[in-house]
Amino acid sequence: MKSSIVGHRGAILHSLGDPDIVGIEQSYQYLADGLLVVRDGLIEQLGDATELLQQYPQLQVIAHPNKLITPGFIDTHIHYPQTAVVASYGEQLLDWLENYTFPAEAAFNDPEHCSKTADFFIEELLRNGTTTALVFGTVHKESVSAFFDTADKVGLRMIAGKVMMDRNAPSNLTDTAQSSYDDSKELIERYHQKNRLSYAVTPRFAPTSSERQLALAGKLLQEYPDLYLHTHLSENKKEIEWVAQLFPERSDYLDVYDHYNLVTDKSVFAHSIHLCDRECERLAQANAAVAFCPTSNTFLGSGLFDLNKMAQKKVQVALGTDIGGGTSFSMLQTMQEAYKVCQLKNAQISPFKAFYLATLAGAQALKLEDKIGTLLPGTEADFVVLDLAATPLISLRMENVKNIEEQLFVLMILGDDRAIDSTYSFGQCVYNKNHQQ
Ligand code: GUN
Ligand code: FE
């Protein structure tokens, strides 16, 4: 096949490390007039445009004036079947699940509903500049095959799994320990590491799985060493009490998962708000990650995530939207809410830290930093073009920013889907706001 090569010219920013570890100056690379050279879906070179163009005299170049090119956003916790329950009023976690979420998830026994929702959901991700996500399906295996089929058609790097849930849920939404194992296995065989897809073993949370189901989840992880484990942890105080009642022999919530060998370096635990010191230390030791989901945590009144404590305990943290407990698909809005949550905890997230959390930290949490999360040569060309004049207010505010740091802060506070000019996956434009039907 003929090789294809194209350059993208504009302001370019990407993270190189956690600013709280490597220092702000070492944590990013910014090119005011940069060139990203993309060949066959991979980044071949990144550098100053004038210099690099000398190496590529014949290069076809797409110019992006008054824009900022960054890596695609990485959402490390989201439920695609909850797309239509976003903004459901008035409840905290356990009632919200019962009154809104479970009824919505029951509709996914219909493959057509699965496909329609998967199409909408993926378009919404791309409209928000999210190129990779770690995604919950429902208990129905068809929900996951529909999601993977749609993602694969677009060529996206996505991770998903079927919910395992065999107790404490409506009977039309429960599987059995054995059927959850069999169905997960079938999906793994069919989709795991097919093109850019990966599978995550997905017990919903400890209260909705029997001990046997958790044990079989652990067995899957042992049978396929590259699988992810994706679940919820320590989100809501009532949930935590319930877990303590259901598993009295375990020392804390994380210990329930640990007992069944579910705490690995490819485990992602959503929320993790109310952890004790031991749980943080164990997460760090296992090199597992937590997904900080600020819009969900404020919306469901779950609590304020303690980013400082996580840093002190060296726990790997990334960002998630947690749609539909969360209120926005936009990782820019999620960065804003993370900033506000940290303000309430007397901590400040710098714009570079927020940007790191939404990109490279997500890749690190998913152990994919050699493939996505930066714009380093050799990685996959998943990137977004942010519009620095997306709204009249953003334009006005951008007139008096002094540097890239301030520019980034304006984008994360005032920006949302309107700030996404276009989204590229594996070098292909998969969304452009000016070319919508
Ligand atoms: N805990 C168990 N299930 C869920 C869910 O669907 N959303 C959230 N936010 N927390 C959960
Ligand atoms: Fe969730």
Side-chain angles (χ1 to χ4, degrees):
M1 206 173 75
K2 199 165 157 286
S3 137
S4 90
I5 180 164
V6 67
H8 291 269
R9 183 173 186 169
I12 302 179
L13 173 73
H14 65 149
S15 272
L16 300 172
D18 182 345
D20 292 337
I21 295 174
V22 301
I24 290 217
E25 291 313 312
Q26 304 299 315
S27 78
Y28 69 96
Q29 180 182 19
Y30 176 63
L31 297 153
D33 179 20
L35 185 74
L36 187 70
V37 181
V38 176
R39 188 194 292 272
D40 299 334
L42 300 179
I43 295 169
E44 179 165 287
Q45 291 236 45
L46 169 69
D48 175 77
T50 317
E51 279 172 31
L52 253 192
L53 279 169
Q54 293 176 2
Q55 284 180 40
Y56 294 94
Q58 307 290 329
L59 187 68
Q60 180 205 344
V61 175
I62 301 172
H64 300 280
N66 207 16
K67 307 286 189 301
L68 179 67
I69 299 171
T70 75
F73 296 119
I74 299 174
D75 185 340
T76 58
H77 179 65
I78 186 164
H79 301 250
Y80 103 81
Q82 294 176 17
T83 302
V85 292
V86 172
S88 292
Y89 176 77
E91 310 282 13
Q92 294 218 349
L93 176 65
L94 300 177
D95 296 314
W96 174 84
L97 283 174
E98 201 170 306
N99 296 332
Y100 298 117
T101 310
F102 288 156
E105 291 193 6
F108 286 74
N109 63 351
D110 170 12
E112 205 176 305
H113 183 66
C114 298
S115 296
K116 263 169 68 178
T117 309
D119 281 350
F120 182 95
F121 173 84
I122 282 178
E123 272 180 35
E124 195 65 17
L125 286 183
L126 299 175
R127 223 161 58 74
N128 282 280
T130 298
T131 47
T132 290
L134 175 58
V135 180
F136 259 68
T138 63
V139 74
H140 316 92
K141 64 181 172 186
E142 296 75 17
S143 71
V144 176
S145 49
F147 173 77
F148 275 143
D149 288 342
T150 308
D152 196 40
K153 251 188 268 161
V154 190
L156 304 176
R157 180 166 286 290
M158 288 285 165
I159 309 167
K162 179 204 109 70
V163 165
M164 303 171 81
M165 174 156 75
D166 67 349
R167 64 169 175 168
N168 294 322
S171 58
N172 59 344
L173 274 181
T174 47
D175 49 20
T176 66
Q178 190 61 46
S179 76
S180 72
Y181 173 85
D182 294 342
D183 288 352
S184 301
K185 197 161 181 136
E186 186 184 320
L187 290 164
I188 292 163
E189 295 284 346
R190 196 156 146 212
Y191 293 106
H192 184 53
Q193 294 178 344
K194 176 186 179 199
N195 300 324
R196 302 180 80 204
L197 309 176
S198 299
Y199 195 83
V201 174
T202 309
R204 177 170 217 115
F205 65 157
T208 48
S209 285
S210 65
E211 299 204 30
R212 174 150 170 77
Q213 184 165 61
L214 293 172
L216 286 176
K219 184 162 185 251
L220 285 169
L221 294 187
Q222 256 148 27
E223 288 171 352
Y224 301 88
D226 290 332
L227 291 176
Y228 293 91
L229 182 284
H230 184 198
T231 190
H232 297 92
L233 172 68
S234 202
E235 174 178 8
N236 169 288
K237 292 269 173 69
K238 281 194 188 149
E239 168 209 12
I240 297 167
E241 283 169 25
W242 193 20
V243 172
Q245 283 164 16
L246 290 168
F247 299 91
E249 64 285 10
R250 304 276 69 90
S251 62
D252 50 48
Y253 196 158
L254 184 67
D255 190 41
V256 176
Y257 296 133
D258 219 356
H259 185 72
Y260 300 99
N261 302 314
L262 302 179
V263 183
T264 78
D265 65 348
K266 291 185 85 178
S267 301
V268 178
F269 296 100
H271 307 297
S272 302
I273 303 172
H274 309 284
L275 300 179
C276 66
D277 287 355
R278 193 210 75 83
E279 289 171 298
C280 295
E281 286 153 15
R282 174 65 188 128
L283 287 167
Q285 180 197 39
N287 196 19
V290 302
F292 172 20
C293 304
T295 74
S296 169
N297 298 163
T298 52
F299 181 73
L300 293 176
S302 302
L304 301 175
F305 185 82
D306 195 342
L307 190 65
N308 275 354
K309 179 172 176 177
M310 293 298 165
Q312 192 200 343
K313 296 287 183 190
K314 300 191 164 50
V315 179
Q316 196 158 60
V317 177
L319 275 187
T321 60
D322 192 29
I323 288 293
T327 53
S328 174
F329 274 80
S330 167
M331 290 296 282
L332 293 169
Q333 287 287 292
T334 306
M335 289 155 75
Q336 176 194 167
E337 197 81 347
Y339 177 81
K340 291 176 176 173
V341 165
C342 289
Q343 283 281 51
L344 291 169
K345 295 289 274 183
N346 284 323
Q348 260 155 18
I349 299 190
S350 71
F352 290 119
K353 174 78 176 202
F355 178 63
Y356 162 75
L357 288 173
T359 56
L360 177 55
Q364 290 168 336
L366 301 171
K367 310 301 179 290
L368 287 173
E369 65 271 28
D370 59 331
K371 296 193 170 64
I372 55 171
T374 68
L375 300 174
L376 289 170
T379 65
E380 298 170 353
D382 286 5
F383 59 95
V384 285
V385 181
L386 299 170
D387 185 352
L388 300 177
T391 69
L393 183 59
I394 291 175
S395 284
L396 179 82
R397 182 64 181 82
M398 287 296 181
E399 282 172 23
N400 50 41
V401 297
K402 292 194 283 294
N403 50 38
I404 177 63
E405 185 168 14
E406 289 188 11
Q407 208 173 69
L408 201 53
F409 193 59
V410 171
L411 280 172
M412 70 183 248
I413 300 302
L414 299 180
D416 51 28
D417 54 322
R418 293 169 296 178
I420 309 302
D421 173 79
S422 44
T423 304
Y424 288 77
S425 173
F426 214 68
Q428 298 297 312
C429 183
V430 288
Y431 168 76
N432 185 311
K433 80 169 161 180
N434 298 312
H435 303 157
Q436 293 297 293
Q437 295 97 355

